[in-house]
Amino acid sequence: MADEVILLNYWPSPFGMRLKIVLAEKGIKHEYREEDLSNKSPLLLQMNPVHKKIPVLIHNGKPVCESLIAVQYIDEVWNDKSPFLPSDPYQKAQARFWADYIDKKIYEVAGNLWTKKGEVQETAKKEFIEALKLLEQELGDKNFFGGDKLGFVDVAFIPLYNWFRGYEAFGKISVDKECPKFFAWANRCMEIESVSKSLPDQDQIHDLIVQIKKKAGLE
Amino acid sequence: MADEVILLNYWPSPFGMRLKIVLAEKGIKHEYREEDLSNKSPLLLQMNPVHKKIPVLIHNGKPVCESLIAVQYIDEVWNDKSPFLPSDPYQKAQARFWADYIDKKIYEVAGNLWTKKGEVQETAKKEFIEALKLLEQELGDKNFFGGDKLGFVDVAFIPLYNWFRGYEAFGKISVDKECPKFFAWANRCMEIESVSKSLPDQDQIHDLIVQIKKKAGLE
């Protein structure tokens, strides 16, 4: 039986971009379905009744929710090409630790950069730069977190990069001056076709942020 | 070389209890070191410089942080006995999903049960019972989330059980009436020696909650 793979997603989601990269890198044929989050499809509500969130990977009718869990699932099922997690248990634990850090710390702080003002925004700026510097340190002299090739942590982290123009504009930070190693890494990632084709344009995200802020009265 | 395994922990931590259960179940010899969280040891700060939190598993000098990641690490390294994660990728993804749900939802809501008052507490009560019911549904007719034996989700969830007397007393809920299947499951878990020996007494946790509330002026 041929595998039937469907990705339920909403284009600006950095979590959905992770799955797009991994599916592209492994060459897994799939159907992409864009969701309208203000009017979620019956399929989305049926496939992710707990969180009711995108992205959802549906493999032969069965859902896998939560992006990092879905990346691991894809890596385990389609294990003949482009492994994202190392096989060594310790290296694997380290990769999981940093991906978890990105989810817990970076994404949380990043939201405060452009939705908050005053002291909360100032704290977010400081914490955001600190977190990026910590990740720069973890990257060290490697080309990618995965070594010579894209790994689990790269896939977890790079989708955020396309939100940066927005962060810089509305969070009033300039990441490139503070974290040059981060930018060099991001550029290396963006040279990989599976990444560049899976990420929307920075300007599109910037415009979306403008719209969201307007709608929420955050200007 | 014999494995050197050290567990840095603080006794009431449900996250630390997860590691105690898994180490006990697999019969892994280790040294237990109790941390004073008001005066963290240099070893803890060195081994978990990012979060500075317990529990930390130190295996031959190398740290693994974040309890669910450490449980997976132990399961992968000591893979000859008592596997906690299923080998099937889909079952594994499902186990990871529910353990993640427990971390994201149950632990967050549980805190509000005994630290908050009024509307926030009422919402927490409702959400807590709803979340338990959802987990009861996932358990279904199985003895354990892992099937006939303790699995990843059981290990993630059961440490919370010993906080229940405190939740019931201060959150003014009675879980046993609302979620009888949850209680039957918890009792089955507590009959397993690796679990009962790894969890502190419910009264000890209750007394700790009393102390914390007093100290924080939450009475």
Side-chain angles (χ1 to χ4, degrees), chain B residues 3-216:
Chain B
D3 282 302
E4 187 203 51
V5 179
I6 300 169
L7 176 62
L8 306 183
N9 193 31
Y10 171 53
W11 68 271
S13 165
F15 307 108
M17 292 175 212
R18 293 171 172 174
L19 299 194
K20 286 177 73 179
I21 295 169
V22 172
L23 290 168
E25 190 68 22
K26 287 189 182 263
I28 300 166
K29 275 191 192 162
H30 62 281
E31 183 190 336
Y32 179 94
R33 293 197 197 167
E34 184 73 7
E35 283 284 332
D36 172 1
L37 298 189
S38 64
N39 181 24
K40 293 174 183 173
S41 74
L43 185 64
L44 173 58
L45 300 176
Q46 180 200 335
M47 290 290 154
N48 191 358
V50 175
H51 300 300
K52 302 177 181 66
K53 284 181 182 170
I54 54 89
V56 180
L57 181 88
I58 309 173
H59 182 203
N60 294 333
K62 292 193 293 185
V64 183
C65 304
E66 298 297 283
S67 64
L68 291 180
I69 294 173
V71 169
Q72 291 180 77
Y73 174 76
I74 295 171
D75 211 32
E76 286 168 16
V77 173
W78 287 271
N79 58 7
D80 55 334
K81 198 187 161 189
S82 306
F84 284 90
L85 277 154
S87 55
D88 173 70
Y90 190 75
Q91 298 303 324
K92 205 184 281 186
Q94 290 302 100
R96 285 183 179 133
F97 174 84
W98 288 109
D100 176 75
Y101 175 77
I102 288 164
D103 265 12
K104 278 184 186 155
K105 186 72 187 178
I106 305 261
Y107 281 93
E108 189 195 301
V109 171
N112 286 347
L113 273 182
W114 61 274
T115 60
K116 307 289 181 187
K117 294 260 175 211
E119 207 176 313
V120 178
Q121 194 186 40
E122 285 307 313
T123 306
K125 275 188 206 183
K126 218 183 112 198
E127 288 185 357
F128 191 68
I129 297 294
E130 271 173 17
L132 290 185
K133 281 185 189 295
L134 197 59
L135 281 156
E136 278 190 329
Q137 198 181 312
E138 171 58 21
L139 180 64
D141 292 327
K142 300 194 293 288
N143 279 331
F144 299 99
F145 289 91
D148 286 331
K149 59 185 187 49
L150 220 55
F152 191 55
V153 180
D154 300 284
V155 165
F157 196 15
I158 191 63
L160 201 77
Y161 174 65
N162 275 32
W163 281 76
F164 265 57
R165 239 207 88 207
Y167 295 157
E168 295 202 312
F170 299 105
K172 298 182 194 85
I173 48 170
S174 70
V175 181
D176 53 348
K177 278 184 202 148
E178 304 245 24
C179 305
K181 278 183 73 178
F182 167 79
F183 262 81
W185 162 79
N187 286 329
R188 276 195 294 278
C189 291
M190 291 301 281
E191 280 167 17
I192 298 171
E193 197 183 328
S194 66
V195 177
S196 58
K197 281 203 170 170
S198 300
L199 268 53
D201 191 79
Q202 289 204 335
D203 290 335
Q204 279 179 292
I205 300 283
H206 175 273
D207 292 350
L208 179 76
I209 292 181
V210 172
Q211 282 174 37
I212 296 172
K213 284 176 78 81
K214 209 169 181 177
K215 228 175 174 172

Side-chain angles (χ1 to χ4, degrees), chain A residues 39-203:
Chain A
N39 182 23
K40 293 174 184 174
S41 75
L43 186 65
L44 173 57
L45 300 177
Q46 181 200 336
M47 289 290 153
N48 191 358
V50 174
H51 300 301
K52 301 176 180 66
K53 284 181 183 171
I54 53 89
V56 179
L57 181 88
I58 309 175
H59 182 204
N60 295 334
K62 292 192 294 184
V64 183
C65 305
E66 298 296 285
S67 64
L68 290 180
I69 294 173
V71 170
Q72 290 179 78
Y73 174 76
I74 295 170
D75 211 32
E76 286 168 16
V77 173
W78 288 271
N79 57 8
D80 55 332
K81 198 187 161 190
S82 305
F84 284 91
L85 276 154
S87 55
D88 173 69
Y90 190 74
Q91 297 304 324
K92 204 184 281 186
Q94 291 302 100
R96 286 185 179 132
F97 175 84
W98 287 108
D100 175 74
Y101 175 77
I102 288 163
D103 265 12
K104 280 185 185 154
K105 186 73 186 179
I106 305 261
Y107 281 93
E108 188 195 301
V109 170
N112 286 346
L113 272 182
W114 61 275
T115 60
K116 307 289 181 188
K117 293 262 174 209
E119 207 177 312
V120 178
Q121 193 186 39
E122 285 306 313
T123 305
K125 274 188 205 182
K126 219 183 110 198
E127 288 185 359
F128 191 69
I129 298 293
E130 270 173 18
L132 290 186
K133 280 185 188 295
L134 197 59
L135 281 156
E136 278 189 328
Q137 198 180 312
E138 171 59 21
L139 179 65
D141 292 328
K142 300 192 295 287
N143 278 332
F144 300 99
F145 289 92
D148 286 332
K149 58 183 188 49
L150 220 55
F152 191 56
V153 180
D154 300 285
V155 166
F157 196 16
I158 190 64
L160 201 77
Y161 174 65
N162 275 33
W163 282 76
F164 266 58
R165 239 208 88 208
Y167 295 157
E168 295 201 313
F170 299 106
K172 299 181 193 85
I173 49 170
S174 70
V175 181
D176 54 345
K177 278 183 200 145
E178 304 245 27
C179 306
K181 277 184 72 179
F182 166 79
F183 261 81
W185 162 80
N187 286 330
R188 276 195 294 277
C189 291
M190 291 300 282
E191 282 167 17
I192 298 172
E193 198 183 328
S194 66
V195 177
S196 60
K197 282 203 170 172
S198 300
L199 268 51
D201 192 78
Q202 289 204 335
D203 289 336

